[in-house]
Amino acid sequence: MLRIPPQVMGLMERLECRGFQAWAVGGCVRDSLLGLPPHDWDLCTDALSEEMVRIFSDFSLVRIGERHGTIAVVLEGRPVEVTTFRTEGGYEDHRRPDWVHFEKDIGADLSRRDFTVNAMAYSPRRGLADPFGGQADLRAGVLRAVGEPVRRFEEDGLRILRGVRFAARYGLTPEEKTLAGMTALAPTLASQARERVFTELCGFLPAARASDFQVFAPVILAAVPALGPSWGFQQHNPHHAFDVYTHTAQVVERVPPDLPLRWAALLHDVAKPACFTLDEAGIGHFGGHARRGAEMAREILKNLRAPRALEEHVAMLIAYHGVTRDLGRLQSDQPLRRLLRRLGEKALRDLLALDRADDGGKGTQSAPDSFDRFEAALDRILSEQPCLTLKDLAVSGRDLLDLGFPQGPELGRVLRMLLDEVGDGRLPNDRQALLDRARAWSIS
């Protein structure tokens, strides 16, 4: 028996008391059977939308999907979608049904769904409806399309990427025909709205394992075509045992399941094939791939309609990846202090996580000592409560104005110079010492 929240149960009882069936359906049933708390609850019923509007007239309703039989009832600020049983016609655009036909049977409604693990419904009065064996597939860890896989994916190409997400999140292995259908129809992802592809990838990446990138390679490469050249691209370098794509998969799995970090791991070597050179000894090099990769990542994420903040953070991580290994080898803390002032602690912690994963994902002997030294130095510097930003300085722009500095860019330049003096240890963060240095500059 599923534990349905009392408020949702109240909606179901309203429908039942008026002679209609009410079922919890889809993801909430799947997650409940797995012992996971459902993210949201969706209901289906044989009531038509106009009947639902009357039954739930005392609730706030969202009626955008009414033409297709969906009414959202707002419960405590969150919508619960209630949809009439339906079947659907062809999908000429691989996204939306050409027509919708309302039904009176829950089995007909479940037959239109994507995967068996999502094609289950539960009614407190009638029990579990599972005509396609979704519960057995869940127990066996199998991802199986409902009906003929090619037909399912021809209807809506985004189902292919959803399948990749489900497989990663729930540890499912696609059965043979389902995987063949996903692979064959992967090119239809090109016709999907970029923001929908981005949303699915954001659901996949935090759960992704390196093995998922091999099993679903055609789908992932269709979703992010810029990764195509990395497939099978040999690095010809003694520090790398894997091709670029396989290495990328290893790095994604090894970074923490934080979305910006996972995106940075996915795209950190996207420019390697374009930057590849081979020296006289037959050793491969990738000069400038970090900077070029940051530029490519910006374009990829912009095309996917990603939030600007995510785009900026990912591009920064890619542009600087490798720096924590290099700084960890130095005897002086000064370059680290400068980078800390430029990027901030959060960025450096993320860079360290990315670089550790990058090193560990090479398939050769790693060298974690430099990362340990970098982390120790970072911790030591932060324990000193260093002056990292202009707000930390013991003087302000007003103080410099009082000294006679003009308002404008020159004021900011002098403040940043003072910050560098303090950060590099040439001056104490003392008001009088800073004013004296600024006065000396103004005189000279």
Side-chain angles (χ1 to χ4, degrees):
M1 179 177 177
L2 272 64
R3 293 183 178 181
I4 301 174
Q7 304 95 322
V8 177
M9 183 70 82
L11 300 183
M12 299 176 77
E13 285 300 321
R14 279 201 185 204
L15 289 164
E16 293 282 356
C17 288
R18 287 162 177 79
F20 298 107
Q21 299 179 47
W23 299 77
V25 68
C28 59
V29 178
R30 176 199 64 226
D31 289 353
S32 294
L33 291 174
L34 288 170
L36 302 173
H39 178 68
D40 49 33
W41 288 85
D42 295 324
L43 306 180
C44 62
T45 179
D46 53 344
L48 298 174
S49 56
E50 57 266 27
E51 294 166 325
M52 288 189 275
V53 169
R54 287 195 297 270
I55 292 170
F56 302 120
S57 61
D58 54 332
F59 286 89
S60 176
L61 303 178
V62 179
R63 301 173 61 175
I64 296 174
E66 185 173 356
R67 185 166 65 92
H68 293 106
T70 298
I71 298 291
V73 182
V74 181
L75 291 179
E76 299 180 348
R78 297 189 64 179
V80 175
E81 289 191 351
V82 188
T83 302
T84 306
F85 300 154
R86 70 190 193 196
T87 52
E88 300 167 344
Y91 288 65
E92 286 298 321
D93 63 357
H94 303 292
R95 290 175 57 188
R96 293 171 290 261
D98 299 335
W99 52 260
V100 170
H101 184 268
F102 298 124
E103 300 282 352
K104 291 296 182 182
D105 175 51
I106 182 64
D109 183 89
L110 296 176
S111 70
R112 70 179 174 84
R113 296 178 181 267
D114 49 11
F115 300 98
T116 62
V117 296
N118 298 328
M120 295 180 285
Y122 177 78
S123 163
R125 298 192 180 193
R126 300 171 186 84
L128 183 69
D130 182 17
F132 304 103
Q135 188 173 23
D137 282 345
L138 268 185
R139 289 171 177 162
V142 172
L143 182 74
R144 189 189 313 274
V146 172
E148 175 55 44
V150 169
R151 180 181 177 185
R152 286 284 82 84
F153 304 136
E154 282 179 337
E155 292 170 345
D156 183 355
L158 201 69
R159 287 173 170 170
I160 300 167
L161 205 49
R162 290 184 74 213
V164 174
R165 171 165 62 87
F166 292 139
R169 181 176 179 185
Y170 300 110
L172 305 178
T173 300
E175 62 88 26
E176 185 178 351
K177 288 185 178 180
T178 297
L179 181 59
M182 295 170 77
T183 300
L185 274 296
T188 63
L189 287 171
S191 66
Q192 298 299 316
R194 294 292 86 192
E195 56 269 24
R196 296 181 76 206
V197 171
F198 173 73
T199 298
E200 291 297 334
L201 287 170
C202 287
F204 161 67
L205 283 173
R209 301 155 299 184
S211 58
D212 295 320
F213 283 85
Q214 302 301 328
V215 173
F216 298 110
V219 178
I220 293 166
L221 296 178
V224 189
L227 291 174
S230 71
W231 174 257
F233 194 97
Q234 298 301 321
Q235 304 196 56
H236 299 283
N237 190 290
H239 299 297
H240 284 275
F242 303 128
D243 64 81
V244 175
Y245 181 85
T246 302
H247 166 68
T248 295
Q250 291 288 329
V251 178
V252 171
E253 181 179 287
R254 288 169 181 268
V255 295
D258 170 78
L259 190 58
L261 269 174
R262 289 285 169 117
W263 271 107
L266 180 70
L267 301 176
H268 80 287
D269 278 351
V270 68
K272 269 193 168 181
C275 296
F276 176 72
T277 59
L278 200 66
D279 66 20
E280 294 179 354
I283 304 298
H285 302 278
F286 303 92
H289 82 277
R291 178 184 57 79
R292 177 76 178 275
E295 295 170 357
M296 292 179 66
R298 285 183 186 278
E299 289 304 312
I300 292 165
L301 291 170
K302 196 182 302 293
N303 179 260
L304 289 169
R305 312 290 193 269
R308 182 64 179 273
L310 177 69
E311 175 192 323
E312 292 291 336
H313 193 62
V314 169
M316 179 277 297
L317 291 175
I318 294 172
Y320 283 95
H321 83 273
V323 73
T324 68
R325 177 194 60 236
D326 298 337
L327 292 183
R329 294 169 175 167
L330 301 180
Q331 297 299 316
S332 170
D333 285 347
Q334 193 172 89
L336 172 54
R337 291 176 182 272
R338 290 175 180 171
L339 194 63
L340 181 59
R341 294 199 299 277
R342 185 183 309 160
L343 301 181
E345 180 186 0
K346 171 66 165 61
L348 291 193
R349 299 286 186 192
D350 284 353
L351 275 169
L352 181 60
L354 178 60
D355 287 347
R356 283 188 188 276
D358 192 12
D359 187 66
K362 292 177 179 178
T364 57
Q365 186 173 3
S366 62
D369 289 353
S370 60
F371 302 119
D372 293 342
R373 287 195 294 271
F374 176 93
E375 186 172 27
L378 178 60
D379 290 340
R380 184 178 64 255
I381 292 169
L382 290 170
S383 71
E384 300 167 359
Q385 297 184 324
C387 185
L388 299 177
T389 70
L390 294 180
K391 292 181 180 179
D392 300 326
L393 274 177
V395 297
S396 66
R398 170 55 58 188
D399 295 318
L400 297 188
L401 289 173
D402 292 342
L403 285 180
F405 283 90
Q407 182 78 48
E410 176 67 10
L411 197 69
R413 187 180 72 84
V414 173
L415 284 170
R416 288 191 294 273
M417 289 169 61
L418 290 173
L419 181 63
D420 286 340
E421 292 283 298
V422 173
D424 290 346
R426 293 187 294 270
L427 272 181
N429 190 22
D430 173 78
R431 174 180 167 79
Q432 192 58 52
L434 295 174
L435 291 176
D436 290 345
R437 180 61 58 88
R439 188 180 292 110
W441 285 340
S442 67
I443 294 173
S444 62

